[in-house]
Amino acid sequence: MTTDQTHDIKQLISQMTLEEKAAICTGVNAWQTVPVERLGIPSMWVSDGPHGVRRATVPDDMMAANVPATCFPTASALAATWDRDLIYELGQALGEECIALNVDLLLGPGVNIKRSPLCGRNFEYFSEDPYLAGEMAATFINGVQSKGVGTSLKHFAANNQEFQRFSISAEVDDRTLREIYLAGFERAVKQAQPWSVMCAYNKLNGTLCSQHHWLLTDVLHDEWGYKGFVVSDWGAVDDRVASLAAGLALEMPGPQPRRVQAVIDAVHGGTLDEARLDEMVRQLLAIVLRAQETPKGGTRLNVDGHHALARRIAGETMVLLKNEGGLLPLRGVNKIAVIGVTAREAHYQGGGSAHVTPTRVDVPFDELAALAGDAELIYAPGYKMEEGFAQAMIDEAVAVARAAEVALLYIGLPPFKESEGYDRPDIDLTDQQVALIKAVAAVQPKTVVILNNGSALAMSDWIDGVPAVLEAWMMGQAGGGAIADVLFGKVNPGGKLAETFPLKLSDTPSHINFPGEVGQVCYGEGIFVGYRYYDEKDMPVLFPFGYGLSYTSFAYNNLTVSAKTFKDVDGLTVSVDVTNTGSVAGKEIVQVYVHDHEAKLRRPQKELKGFVKVALEPGETKTVSVTLDNRAFAYWDPRYNDWVNESGQFDILVGSSSADIRETATVTLESTQQLPPLINRYSTLGEWVSDPAGAAALTPIMQMFQAHAPTGSDMHGIDFFSMLRDMPLLKILGWFAGNLPTDPDTMVDQLVAQVHNA
Ligand code: BGC
């Protein structure tokens, strides 16, 4: 914002009455902000989001959001592309659609972490990994906002389930919050400055996110330098005055006359500082006015161009999970069984606020037919999208499969198994779908399962009997065509999983603590989420994070690092040669993980800190590079309330997935960080001696302990110094009080002061 604009906004605010200021902080209806005509302040129109514009026909109806727009693949699919350029392009297209549809701000992306595969809304979120999620969100936002249209990064924060989402308190320790649940938001805020951030419905450590001052102001604005405004999730506000004080500028939806009055009364009564209200109005007005700089309407929706883009993006999202004997791509087949109701009625998006009214929908069967040449396609529905079991449908599908050379099984996870508003009951396909897959695979050895779902699935029941599996996600309106492209090899699948597929639900990190009870959900697994957990537990999974096959193969060689020893402030550049060793062009996603050899706090075995997607012709080699900054090596230490870069050795692990590390280098970090001593009067002896200044201060005391330590039978079978290690120095001094020049309290306080002054 320029100084002039700041000045203008200040002036505007000074002309507003208290009533106008209170009113503008709540929506005028479901999708618009309050205009102040007398001062020329327009209203701003917001719409969901995230993967398509869900524009309402009438602004005072929350449900009637059904103006047609392009439905792109949902976030879990988008993350599987690992393709920053493509996500940016998607963002630009969404920005253009907002302009054509008269929308100022798009309510997305959602950057919440996939803590459990059971979260009903995982299809709207990117990943279990905060670095990948944050990178995807940042490029998405930058793409949309490059068109002069705003975004809303949501749902801030720790909104990782649908169960009791309006009331549950996510109980998360500080380090876990910083390293896992806030890190994606932080990255997106710092790299992309979304115009708005949407607070979550839930509580965080006992306080509603909508009135969480630490979250909305201390961390978001003060620490991260956020310049936009906070909007409530729709209906998230409980106490409007408390939420304004906490930093929530806009409550949605409106109107809420009683709450507006409560704000006016609070200012009159002195319980809300008018300056705080002014600051919220300033944050909001800055964006409302910025939105006006880009005229809306007056352009037409690029229906064909964006449908083609949706198909291209969908092609990049597909993850080839299994392809025994090179069954795919299909070659020389004359008779194809196409089984599954989702071949006729594409399952391409999820239910809830992200549900877009598409401009058109590719029918997977028709798209297949268009690429199948002279091959004959025979169809059986196989199952219904509703609950129930119908053996006759399975029998019909088996007959069709038997009569063909290959069976393509289109399996879409029904809405009762996955949607906004409720969590998933399990991570399985329906009983009918499992029985169908098994029965078809039993008669047709060339069976391909094509999955449409938004989050991880368990497959142990059936996958061994099936040679090929394609994860096609909630693929957007043009996904039917993209599936055909992949099946026939027009597109070489290059997507990789942005979330682990576990063997079974009970293996998942949050299993014991999901979805919580008596109003709380304890994030007991801490920082060990997704692959961080499976690595630490040395636990097998169905498909690891970062995994995906291709119709070609890649070799990794010549890992180099810019320095063997480096300073945190300088960072490190990692380069590796990647060669396409197969016979078709393809794309590889090169992943860079960091492993800390030793740290004061327990750390995951590896953490994703960089990635590059590279396109290679057969035989071609390219050198790819990733730069790692100091944050790539840091952990959050709650004792310092800060990120810590510890000196020591790190492995740089470069691989094709989290479980397929191809090249490794060991480097030494020399930290330049000056940290204050942590020693206090309750520190244990072990803590004193592991701190250099503490150890020095304690030398005479240690000598005294040695001299007066009990010996022989007085030891009572204990290793005396091992026992002392975990006792506070103060308590030990109490035992040796007779040998001290002064009382233990004075003595320990003097020693603490000595360490802090050192
Ligand atoms: C959802 C948000 C959405 C809003 C407006 C809420 O129920 O949680 O993601 O943007 O509704 O539709």
Side-chain angles (χ1 to χ4, degrees), residues 31 48 54 62 107 121 124 154-155 165 198 201 233-234 353 420:
W31 307 110
D48 284 305
R54 183 173 159 263
M62 257 194 77
L107 301 172
R121 236 176 148 176
E124 268 191 78
K154 63 193 188 182
H155 308 88
R165 65 173 167 159
M198 187 189 294
Y201 283 132
D233 198 345
W234 268 231
S353 60
E420 179 181 344

Side-chain angles (χ1 to χ4, degrees), residues 559-561 563-564 572 574 593 595 597 649-654 661 663-668:
L559 174 63
T560 57
V561 287
K564 276 281 180 194
L572 189 76
V574 178
Y593 298 85
H595 163 73
H597 280 210
Q649 289 192 315
F650 289 81
D651 290 333
I652 307 297
L653 311 168
V654 179
I661 300 303
E663 295 272 293
T664 305
T666 303
V667 293
T668 304

Side-chain angles (χ1 to χ4, degrees), residues 23 57 110 116 157 172 204 211 311 372 437 471 478 522 546 560 582 593 680 692:
T57 31
S116 165
V172 199
L204 173 62
Q211 37 194 78
R311 180 169 181 153
I437 296 171
E471 176 54 79
C522 169
T560 57
Y593 298 85
N680 60 52

